[in-house]
Amino acid sequence: MAGTGDARRADAGATVWLTGLPSAGKTTIARALAGRLREQGRRVEVLDGDEIRASLSAGLGFGRADRHTNVQRIGFVAELLASHGVLALVPVIAPYADSREAVRRRHREHGTAYVEVHVATPVDVCSARDVKGLYAKRAAGEISGLTGVDDPYEAPAAPDLRIDSQGRTVAECAAAVHALLTERGLL
């Protein structure tokens, strides 16, 4: 398992969970890393939180229970893929520590490698990026419950890797994750 110091086969799967605030850069980093890994001949899937919510988790709201259910569904799919030799890159906000821990525990119970990456971009930088216009909608009073603004985001206390994407290129951020996977024997 990841983090235990054991050697893994280079074709083994793993889940790389990228958590952080909206517009932190999770998906951008995951897509850049996926491209690099595919060039190396690895089987990779990006389980983007927005895409999953529109399909597998359609109908769920944004209350704590529904957010937990969404994260558990994504975690199930990620573990299934990873257990079959796929590198599952999962850029999902996953705001609650207990939800992320349940996903980690599922991986541990199934002997599947799991790596947590905290894309620790400050909320003011995320707000300035505002990729999906969520911060602007929140400021205009059009939405509420925005993670990190008026809904909690519980930052990981001890992620496997913490990346502050502010002031770093996408390539540098993806390279940092790639280096961790290499160090863990997952590449």
Side-chain angles (χ1 to χ4, degrees):
M1 290 185 297
T4 61
D6 62 332
R8 297 187 65 85
R9 291 187 351 237
D11 62 346
T15 293
V16 180
W17 195 280
L18 295 99
T19 180
L21 295 173
S23 296
K26 301 174 300 296
T27 301
T28 304
I29 294 166
R31 292 198 189 287
L33 179 60
R36 182 174 178 179
L37 293 169
R38 285 184 183 112
E39 287 174 1
Q40 296 174 336
R42 295 302 311 261
R43 294 172 48 207
V44 180
E45 289 294 333
V46 177
L47 301 178
D48 179 77
D50 293 332
E51 293 172 4
I52 297 290
R53 190 168 265 287
S55 56
L56 185 63
S57 293
L60 291 179
F62 290 90
R64 186 178 181 98
D66 281 355
R67 288 179 188 225
H68 178 78
T69 298
N70 182 50
V71 167
Q72 297 318 296
R73 288 177 181 176
I74 297 168
F76 172 84
V77 173
E79 194 281 324
L80 183 65
L81 288 169
S83 72
H84 287 88
V86 175
L87 287 171
L89 308 181
V90 187
V92 175
I93 295 169
Y96 305 116
D98 60 341
S99 295
R100 293 188 309 267
E101 180 54 35
V103 171
R104 181 186 293 271
R105 186 171 45 254
R106 174 181 186 74
H107 282 71
R108 187 171 45 246
E109 289 168 358
H110 288 88
T112 306
Y114 178 90
V115 176
E116 183 178 70
V117 177
H118 179 208
V119 183
T121 308
V123 71
D124 59 322
V125 174
C126 293
S127 179
R129 289 178 183 169
D130 204 9
V131 176
K132 299 172 199 148
L134 297 174
Y135 293 92
K137 287 180 182 177
R138 172 62 188 102
E142 295 173 23
I143 63 169
S144 63
L146 181 59
T147 302
V149 177
D150 58 357
D151 205 59
Y153 176 75
E154 300 168 356
D160 297 289
L161 178 64
R162 189 178 316 275
I163 296 174
D164 184 347
S165 66
Q166 180 183 9
R168 295 177 81 177
T169 67
V170 172
E172 289 170 336
C173 294
V177 181
H178 190 278
L180 175 65
L181 296 175
T182 301
E183 174 187 308
R184 296 281 173 95
L186 298 170
L187 295 180

